[in-house]
Amino acid sequence: QVQLVESGGGLVQPGASLRLSCAASGRIFNIINMAWYRQAPGKQRELVARIASGGSTYYADSVKGRFTVSRDNAKNTVYLQMNNLKPEDTAVYYCNARLTLSSIWAPDDYWGQGTQVTVSS
C-alpha cells in the first residue's frame, strides 16, 4: 500500500507564507512526478505545481512567482512554499504522486487526504 501524508496547512492573513509537505511511503519502486492540486468550494480541482524526478517544474499561471515546489527524492517528499498568499488561494490542497510499484507495472496516481489552506483577514 502507498500512503501520502500532507502537513502544513492553516489559517493565515493575506501576504503571509505557508509551507506544505507531503511524504510518500509504502512499497514504491519509482516516483515519476509529485504535484500539488487544490480545490476551492464550488470549483473543480486544479493543478497548482508539479515537479518531475529530474527536477523540472510546472506552475499554474495564478501562482507563478509566489509558489515554489521542491522535492527530496531520498525522502519521497514534496514541498510547496507559498508566499504572498491571497484570499483566492483558499482551498483544500491535495498532494499527488505518479509512481510505479515495480519495474514492470504501469504508473498510477496516488492522492493525499488534503490539507486546508485559508487566507483571510
Side-chain angles (χ1 to χ4, degrees):
Q1 295 291 340
V2 175
Q3 281 192 317
L4 272 63
V5 179
E6 301 138 337
S7 62
L11 170 63
V12 297
Q13 292 187 338
S17 297
L18 277 176
R19 188 191 194 211
L20 306 182
S21 300
C22 171
S25 63
R27 198 189 69 179
I28 299 169
F29 176 73
N30 180 47
I31 299 179
I32 300 166
N33 293 319
M34 297 191 81
W36 290 95
Y37 287 73
R38 67 185 180 187
Q39 188 166 20
K43 294 189 177 181
Q44 288 189 330
R45 189 174 296 190
E46 64 174 353
L47 175 62
V48 176
R50 180 176 61 224
I51 183 166
S53 58
S56 61
T57 57
Y58 164 87
Y59 294 95
D61 287 342
S62 58
V63 306
K64 281 181 182 176
R66 300 188 298 122
F67 290 11
T68 302
V69 62
S70 60
R71 177 172 170 175
D72 185 333
N73 289 334
K75 297 181 179 179
N76 288 340
T77 299
V78 64
Y79 307 95
L80 186 67
Q81 177 66 43
M82 304 185 292
N83 298 329
N84 190 22
L85 282 161
K86 303 176 180 181
E88 51 264 41
D89 295 317
T90 296
V92 178
Y93 284 70
Y94 295 91
C95 174
N96 166 269
R98 172 157 285 233
L99 56 87
T100 56
L101 300 180
S102 81
S103 60
I104 60 173
W105 286 18
D108 206 350
D109 284 309
Y110 292 84
W111 295 88
Q113 79 284 357
T115 185
Q116 177 71 45
V117 172
T118 302
V119 185
S120 175
S121 55

